[in-house]
Amino acid sequence: IYAEDPDSGFVPSPGPILAWHAPEGPGLRLDAGFEAGQTVTPHYDAMLAKLIASGRDRGEALARLAGALDAFWIA
């Protein structure tokens, strides 16, 4: 999960994190370095978090990951 602006060639997009909703559930793990209320500065990597999905097989893991990305939002 990155703080980047895809419309500008994926350059870093610093600023305050006003809201953060991360998905939870079986087979999901989130390793995050940020949360709501913090500020992303232009001085570091734009990576905010890693979202990891697992399942009984690749198809289940991909389905969990797709659902988790749909449910993940940051403002």
Side-chain angles (χ1 to χ4, degrees):
I1 309 298
Y2 283 85
E4 294 179 332
D5 182 355
D7 293 332
S8 298
F10 293 95
V11 296
S13 182
I17 299 173
L18 304 175
W20 175 285
H21 174 76
E24 296 178 353
L28 295 177
R29 185 178 99 205
L30 183 71
D31 294 343
F34 288 89
E35 60 186 29
Q38 293 184 307
T39 299
V40 179
T41 72
H43 306 294
Y44 299 99
D45 189 323
M47 181 187 288
L48 303 179
K50 288 188 237 177
L51 179 60
I52 301 105
S54 61
R56 291 180 300 243
D57 56 32
R58 183 176 175 84
E60 183 177 68
L62 288 172
R64 283 182 177 165
L65 182 58
L69 288 172
D70 284 343
F72 203 130
W73 57 267
I74 303 169

